[in-house]
Amino acid sequence: MDTFGPYRDEQRPFQQLLVEHRLGLVSLVNRLRAEQRFIADTGGASVRARHMVRAVVRFGPSSPLGVAISDELFVTLTAADRGPAQGFDQNRAFVGLNWRLNDWQLELGYMNVFVDRPAPASDRLLHALTVMVVFTAP
């Protein structure tokens, strides 16, 4: 996504900590990620933190169907010349249906993405239909 100028090649190695809890019909995920963004034609690496909180609430104890809700905040910790500015970057909010079948999950829903862009460019508000397929290795 073009957030700070014309398209440039970008590499993003990252480290993350993910903690999951199950409380009855609710599955909670808390994920903290640190990304190092290496962007072509910038003055060096930029570091960005991402924090996501996610919940899936099942319709019953043995129900494969549930509602998924998540929010992810992006904050750039270190700026790069001709690259991302320091501070709030974007927010992604999601709501949808989750269907679990053994080690597979299918999710379909709406994602609202707000991207903060430096002036004079205007901020972006994106509306996306999101489909996600997840396989959990046993």
Side-chain angles (χ1 to χ4, degrees):
M1 178 180 306
D2 173 16
T3 57
F4 51 82
Y7 173 79
R8 291 179 264 174
D9 186 42
E10 178 174 350
Q11 305 299 316
R12 291 185 197 170
F14 64 88
Q15 302 77 44
Q16 74 178 21
L17 173 66
L18 187 138
V19 178
E20 184 173 0
H21 295 286
R22 293 186 191 268
L23 304 167
L25 300 176
V26 180
S27 172
L28 297 170
V29 172
N30 190 350
R31 183 188 76 197
L32 183 60
R33 178 180 288 181
E35 295 179 327
Q36 297 76 44
R37 300 175 71 189
F38 297 94
I39 305 164
D41 302 323
T42 62
S46 173
V47 177
R48 179 166 69 181
R50 296 169 57 169
H51 182 237
M52 181 189 69
V53 176
R54 172 181 159 79
V56 176
V57 181
R58 296 279 163 220
F59 292 135
S62 59
S63 176
L65 294 175
V67 174
I69 301 167
S70 68
D71 190 72
E72 185 171 15
L73 176 67
F74 295 61
V75 177
T76 300
L77 302 176
T78 60
D81 293 337
R82 300 174 313 281
Q86 189 173 10
F88 172 76
D89 186 328
Q90 64 178 285
N91 192 78
R92 296 179 184 172
F94 173 82
V95 63
L97 290 175
N98 177 287
W99 180 54
R100 180 182 60 209
L101 180 61
N102 300 322
D103 297 326
W104 293 87
Q105 290 187 60
L106 172 67
E107 215 161 80
L108 173 66
Y110 166 76
M111 183 177 287
N112 179 286
V113 181
F114 176 78
V115 181
D116 183 45
R117 293 172 32 126
S122 57
D123 296 336
R124 286 191 178 163
L125 182 60
L126 308 169
H127 306 280
L129 176 64
T130 303
V131 177
M132 181 171 61
V133 178
V134 176
F135 173 74
T136 304

